[in-house]
Amino acid sequence: MVEGAASGSEKAGTPVEAVVDSDDEFKNDALKLGDFLRRYHPSVPDVKHDVLQERYRIDLATPLPELDSKTSRAYAATDLAEPTRLLFAQLCQPGSVQRHNAISILTTTSHPYILPLAAAGAVQLSRPEEERFVIFHERPQGKKLSELLTQDRQQITQSFVCDRIIAPIASAINQFSELDITHGTINPDNIYFDDIAILGPCVAEPCGYSQPFYYEPLERMQALSAAKGEGSTAHDYYALAIVVLYILHGAKHFEGMTPDSVARAVFQEGVYNALTRQKEMPEMFYDFFRGLLSQGDKDRWNYRFLKPWIDGKRYNVLSPPPPVEAIRPFEFNGALANTRRELAYLFYADWDKIAEPVRNGKLGQWIAVSLRNKELVEKVTRIGRSILELGSKNEMQLNEQLMHVILLLDPNGPIRIKNLSLYIDGIDSLCAELYAGKANQELHLLAKFIEFNMGNYWLDIQRKTSQNYAIPASVNAILIKLERLRSTIRYGGLGFGLERMLYDLNPEMPCLSPLLRQWHILTLPQLLTRLDRLAPNLSKDDEPLDRHMAAFLANRLGIQHEIRLHDLATSPVLATNRAIIALHLLSLAQQKSSDIQLPGLTHWLVLLILPTLESIHSRTLKRKIKTTLIEQAKAGYAQLLADIVVTSNYASVDQTGYQKAWNLYLTNESKIAGFRTGSRIDQESIKFGFIIGKAIAYGAFLISLFIAFRGM
C-alpha cells in the first residue's frame, strides 16, 4: 500500500488547479516503459499450424465448396495417423454457434449410416494468421442424394427407396434418438449415397439452422432459423417423409412453395394433404406418409412403428380430416381462421393489429361461441382488461400481453413477441445471430424478454397443457441460464449489457473483442497470455478494455454486480477510468488463473494508467506512486499493481490533503481580499494609530519617570 498526503509547502500556496508533473517527467516514465516493451519478447510455444491434436491436418489449398454450410467453409483434411482416411474440415466463422453437446457425443459414436465425426477444436491457421474452431468429419463417399436423383432416376424403384434410403436413414435417426440428439438437417443435399444412404454433418450450426422450411413441421417452421432449439427426433422423422416426397415427385413438387403458402395450406387442409398435394403415389407409401406427416409430434410414427413397416407390415392408417375447430371462423385482417393455431399465425403476421380484437372483446366472444372454451374465455378477457388499462403507456407490457394471447391460442407453437419467434432452448443461438447481424432493436427486445421472466409463462402453459410434461434437458439448461441472467441483465456498465447476455447464454463463445477476435480465446489464461504477447505491439492509445473484453472477463469471473471501485470513490476520474477498471479485472483473472508472469501486460497497463494519475494533487504522492508502479511492473503480476492503484487509500488521503490545502487557501484569500477594501484599510489605520499612540504615551511616561527618579 502507498500512503501519503500533500506536503505543507504545497498546501500553503496551492492554486485552484492541481500541480502536475512536468512533461519531461512523464515522457521519462513513458520512455522507460516503452523501452521495456520494445525489448520484450515473450516465449511462444511451438504451434503446428493447420493441425489439431497433432493428428488432423487441414489442406487450406483445397477448398470443398460443395460441403460448405451457412456458417462454415469446408476444406480437404487428412488423418496423419491414417493417411488413407480422407477427411474434410469445417472452419467455423467467428461469432457463430456450434452444437458442442452433440459434438462431444458424436465424436465417440460409430454408426454405419451416420457420417463419422473425427474431432473438433481450435486450430491455429497459417493463412490467414488466425485461430478458428474446426470440425473434422470423414469425407462422404458417393454423391449427394439430390445429385443422384437429378442424374439417374431410372434406378429409383420402390424397394430401392425403402431398403437403400428409408431403412438406413430411419436407423440413423433411431440412433440419434437413443443419444438424445436431434439431427435437424435431413434433406437430399445432406444425404450422401454410394451403395446406401448415409446422413451428413449437423453440428457446425444451430439445430435446423439451414434446413429448408418445408422439411420442418409447422411449429418449427414458424420460428426464426436460429431460434428453433434442439427439437426432437420426431422432427427428423417428419423430414424423412419430405425426403421421400422429393424422391417420388422431384424438386418440382416444391416449386412455388413459400412459408406462408405452406402454413395456410396446412391449416386449411392438414399436413398430409398440404404436403403431398394429393398426388398419386405407390400404395405402399400411404401408411408411411400418413404416419409421418401427422399434425403433432405425439401422433407421429417413431422407429417402433417405422421399422415393422420397412419389414413389410401394413397398418392401413386413415388420412386425418381437414382441421376444423371452430363452429364459425374468426375474421382477422381480411383472412379467416378455423382453428386457434391458425388464428395465432394470423395474429403474429400482423402484430400491430392484435390488440384491438382482444381489447374490444371480439376474440373472447368468438372463443365463447365458436370454441366453447370457458377457461380460455376467462384468460383472454383478463388480458383484454389489462390491455385496456395499459393503453399506449407501456409498449413492453403490451407486447407481453399479446405474447400471452398467442401462446394461449397455440401453446405448442413458438413464443412470438413482436418480431421475434423462438423456442426457449433457441434463445442462446438467436442471441448470437442477432448480435452478429447487429440487430440492436431485436437484441434489446430479447433482453427485456429475459429480464421480465416472460419465458416462465410459456413453461406454465406447457405444464397445464400436459399433465406429464417433463422439461427437456436442453430447455432446463437454458432456464438455469436465464434465471442467472435476470439479476445481471438490467446493468448497463462495463462487463454487462448486451455483450454480457451473449457470453452468459453462449459459454462456448470465444472473446469477440476487436483486439482478440482473430484468436479462439475461451479461458482466462488464454486471454491473459495473448494480451501479454500483444503488449509490445500495443501503445498507450489502444483501448485497454472494450465492452466485449469486459463482458467476457465478467462472465468468466462470475461477477454479478456492476463494477465499482469503492476505494477510489473520492476520485471519480480514477474510479471510472477504463485502464484502471481493466487492471482490476485482469488482476482478478490472473489470480484465478495458474501462476503465470505477465511482464508485458503489466508494463502496458502501467503505460496506460500513468496519464490518469495526473489527477492526483500531491506532487510527492504522485511521484511515489508512479515510481512504485514502474518498479512493480517488472514482476509481471497485475495484482501488485492493483494493490497500489485500485485498493490502496491514496485517493482519499490525497483528497483529504487537497481539501485541507484548499480550505486554507480560501481562508488566506479571504483575508487578503479583506485587506484590499477601503473601509478595512481605514479601520486598520485607526487601530494601528491607537497602538502607535499608546506606545508613544507609554514611552513618554517611562522617560518622565526615569528623569524624575534621576533628579532625586
Side-chain angles (χ1 to χ4, degrees):
M1 266 190 177
V2 174
E3 298 181 3
S7 65
S9 60
E10 288 173 16
K11 293 178 189 176
T14 307
V16 177
E17 296 82 8
V19 175
V20 297
D21 288 354
S22 68
D23 287 343
D24 288 343
E25 269 187 316
F26 174 71
K27 286 177 183 176
N28 249 1
D29 294 334
L31 284 172
K32 288 179 190 174
L33 296 164
D35 184 55
F36 175 88
L37 289 172
R38 277 190 296 275
R39 292 183 287 102
Y40 181 60
H41 298 289
S43 59
V44 179
D46 185 21
V47 177
K48 291 186 178 179
H49 287 76
D50 307 328
V51 177
L52 177 67
Q53 299 171 6
E54 298 188 352
R55 175 172 178 176
Y56 303 102
R57 182 173 58 80
I58 310 165
D59 181 5
L60 294 173
T62 311
L64 301 174
E66 68 276 10
L67 295 173
D68 287 349
S69 75
K70 278 187 177 180
T71 61
S72 66
R73 295 290 173 264
Y75 294 85
T78 307
D79 183 348
L80 299 177
E82 299 178 48
T84 57
R85 184 188 182 195
L86 294 178
L87 306 175
F88 78 97
Q90 291 179 302
L91 273 65
C92 300
Q93 295 175 7
S96 62
V97 174
Q98 296 78 45
R99 300 173 65 191
H100 290 273
N101 179 58
I103 290 171
S104 64
I105 294 172
L106 290 175
T107 47
T108 58
T109 298
S110 177
H111 190 277
Y113 310 127
I114 298 175
L115 191 70
L117 198 164
V123 176
Q124 184 73 47
L125 303 179
S126 55
R127 55 188 183 120
E129 184 72 25
E130 60 184 24
E131 199 173 17
R132 293 279 195 89
F133 188 79
V134 182
I135 305 168
F136 291 85
H137 291 274
E138 279 195 10
R139 205 180 305 183
Q141 302 299 305
K143 302 175 181 177
K144 290 181 178 181
L145 181 58
S146 56
E147 295 175 3
L148 177 70
L149 296 173
T150 302
Q151 295 170 3
D152 188 7
R153 293 192 61 87
Q154 286 75 21
Q155 62 172 323
I156 310 298
T157 64
Q158 294 177 34
S159 60
F160 178 91
V161 173
C162 186
D163 299 336
R164 311 279 287 281
I165 296 174
I166 295 176
I169 299 303
S171 175
I173 294 173
N174 185 54
Q175 176 67 65
F176 273 92
S177 179
E178 291 178 358
L179 296 171
D180 198 23
I181 305 173
T182 307
H183 187 282
T185 320
I186 297 176
N187 62 65
D189 286 323
N190 199 33
I191 294 174
Y192 296 88
F193 192 91
D194 187 8
D195 181 54
I196 200 164
I198 184 171
L199 271 182
C202 65
V203 296
E205 60 189 24
C207 185
Y209 182 71
S210 59
Q211 181 76 311
F213 66 89
Y214 44 82
Y215 286 90
E216 295 278 29
L218 183 60
E219 61 272 15
R220 277 176 71 80
M221 189 183 78
Q222 294 178 82
L224 296 171
S225 60
K228 296 175 182 177
E230 284 298 304
S232 72
T233 47
H235 306 140
D236 287 338
Y237 285 117
Y238 182 96
L240 174 59
I242 307 301
V243 168
V244 177
L245 270 180
Y246 184 98
I247 295 169
L248 295 179
H249 301 300
K252 288 185 178 180
H253 181 77
F254 303 96
E255 285 182 358
M257 284 188 177
T258 64
D260 183 64
S261 68
V262 170
R264 297 307 301 275
V266 169
F267 288 130
Q268 294 166 15
E269 306 170 35
V271 180
Y272 176 80
N273 292 328
L275 271 297
T276 60
R277 294 189 167 183
Q278 301 183 2
K279 287 184 178 179
E280 291 295 325
M281 66 182 72
E283 187 177 343
M284 68 175 290
F285 288 109
Y286 286 158
D287 283 349
F288 174 81
F289 286 117
R290 289 169 182 168
L292 292 182
L293 296 179
S294 63
Q295 289 290 116
D297 294 353
K298 293 179 182 177
D299 301 323
R300 192 167 299 139
W301 276 9
N302 55 25
Y303 198 65
R304 187 164 63 90
F305 293 97
L306 190 53
K307 181 64 169 69
W309 178 86
I310 294 169
D311 293 338
K313 182 176 179 178
R314 297 298 172 257
Y315 292 93
N316 194 27
V317 181
L318 297 176
S319 179
V324 177
E325 187 179 15
I327 297 172
R328 292 182 180 179
F330 186 91
E331 184 179 354
F332 178 73
N333 201 27
L336 299 176
N338 289 296
T339 64
R340 292 160 58 178
R341 291 180 73 199
E342 185 174 13
L343 183 55
Y345 175 82
L346 294 176
F347 274 177
Y348 178 64
D350 208 336
W351 185 267
D352 293 334
K353 295 183 180 179
I354 308 174
E356 185 57 29
V358 181
R359 184 169 44 226
N360 64 23
K362 184 180 175 182
L363 177 61
Q365 186 180 7
W366 177 74
I367 295 171
V369 175
S370 293
L371 298 182
R372 296 179 180 176
N373 188 325
K374 186 177 179 180
E375 183 182 356
L376 184 58
V377 170
E378 291 174 355
K379 291 178 179 178
V380 169
T381 302
R382 268 199 308 271
I383 292 173
R385 284 197 296 266
S386 297
I387 290 175
L388 194 60
E389 291 171 5
L390 281 171
S392 58
K393 291 186 294 185
N394 192 316
E395 184 185 0
M396 195 64 225
Q397 288 184 4
L398 175 62
N399 288 333
E400 182 179 9
Q401 293 302 319
L402 299 179
M403 178 198 80
H404 290 176
V405 171
I406 291 179
L407 275 173
L408 288 170
L409 293 172
D410 185 10
N412 294 320
I415 298 169
R416 284 159 277 191
I417 178 166
K418 205 168 182 182
N419 48 355
L420 296 182
S421 181
L422 58 105
Y423 282 94
I424 284 290
D425 56 341
I427 286 180
D428 48 0
S429 49
L430 174 62
C431 178
E433 171 89 346
L434 295 175
Y435 206 95
K438 298 180 180 178
N440 287 328
Q441 186 176 351
E442 288 78 10
L443 277 169
H444 283 289
L445 178 59
L446 187 64
K448 290 298 180 184
F449 177 90
I450 296 169
E451 183 181 349
F452 295 158
N453 199 22
M454 295 184 195
N456 198 48
Y457 189 81
W458 171 86
L459 186 60
D460 288 342
I461 286 181
Q462 304 310 307
R463 286 170 171 160
K464 290 173 182 176
T465 305
S466 176
Q467 292 181 349
N468 299 319
Y469 177 74
I471 302 177
S474 60
V475 172
N476 191 55
I478 286 291
L479 288 174
I480 292 170
K481 291 179 186 177
L482 296 183
E483 188 58 35
R484 290 174 182 162
L485 250 177
R486 286 185 62 222
S487 64
T488 60
I489 205 164
R490 63 179 66 94
Y491 303 131
L494 279 174
F496 295 90
L498 299 178
E499 295 81 6
R500 178 62 181 272
M501 179 171 70
L502 174 67
Y503 293 111
D504 277 11
L505 287 174
N506 297 278
E508 296 89 3
M509 181 70 67
C511 183
L512 299 179
S513 163
L515 199 60
L516 305 168
R517 189 181 176 89
Q518 72 184 92
W519 293 280
H520 193 81
I521 290 175
L522 288 174
T523 66
L524 293 174
Q526 287 175 339
L527 182 143
L528 292 170
T529 53
R530 180 58 62 183
L531 284 177
D532 189 62
R533 290 175 198 168
L534 287 172
N537 300 316
L538 300 175
S539 72
K540 62 182 177 62
D541 298 320
D542 283 294
E543 179 69 56
L545 191 71
D546 57 74
R547 292 192 65 86
H548 264 291
M549 196 189 302
F552 180 87
L553 284 164
N555 167 267
R556 296 306 196 262
L557 291 167
I559 295 173
Q560 296 298 307
H561 300 285
E562 281 198 287
I563 299 165
R564 299 188 187 281
L565 306 180
H566 298 289
D567 291 305
L568 301 179
T570 55
S571 176
V573 173
L574 296 173
T576 59
N577 181 263
R578 285 205 175 195
I580 293 179
I581 294 173
L583 171 60
H584 171 63
L585 289 175
L586 293 171
S587 68
L588 294 176
Q590 192 172 8
Q591 288 179 70
K592 197 170 182 179
S593 305
S594 56
D595 186 23
I596 48 176
Q597 286 181 282
L598 307 165
L601 176 60
T602 52
H603 278 76
W604 178 57
L605 284 171
V606 173
L607 189 64
L608 297 175
I609 290 167
L610 286 185
T612 309
L613 298 179
E614 293 301 321
S615 63
I616 297 174
H617 305 91
S618 167
R619 181 183 298 177
T620 305
L621 177 60
K622 180 165 38 182
R623 184 70 257 159
K624 185 176 181 182
I625 291 175
K626 286 185 175 184
T627 303
T628 309
L629 281 175
I630 294 170
E631 186 62 31
Q632 293 291 355
K634 299 173 185 176
Y637 292 104
Q639 182 57 48
L640 296 177
L641 306 182
D643 287 343
I644 299 167
V645 177
V646 180
T647 59
S648 66
N649 66 344
Y650 71 93
S652 60
V653 169
D654 180 63
Q655 188 62 30
T656 301
Y658 174 72
Q659 195 59 51
K660 286 180 180 177
W662 176 242
N663 291 339
L664 180 59
Y665 171 77
L666 291 177
T667 301
N668 291 338
E669 186 182 42
S670 177
K671 288 180 179 180
I672 293 169
F675 285 129
R676 289 172 180 160
T677 62
S679 60
R680 183 64 184 271
I681 292 172
D682 290 342
Q683 289 175 6
E684 291 297 322
S685 298
I686 293 168
K687 183 179 177 182
F688 191 61
F690 278 127
I691 292 171
I692 293 173
K694 275 185 180 183
I696 293 172
Y698 281 121
F701 175 69
L702 289 173
I703 292 170
S704 299
L705 283 177
F706 177 75
I707 294 171
F709 280 117
R710 193 158 174 192
M712 292 174 67

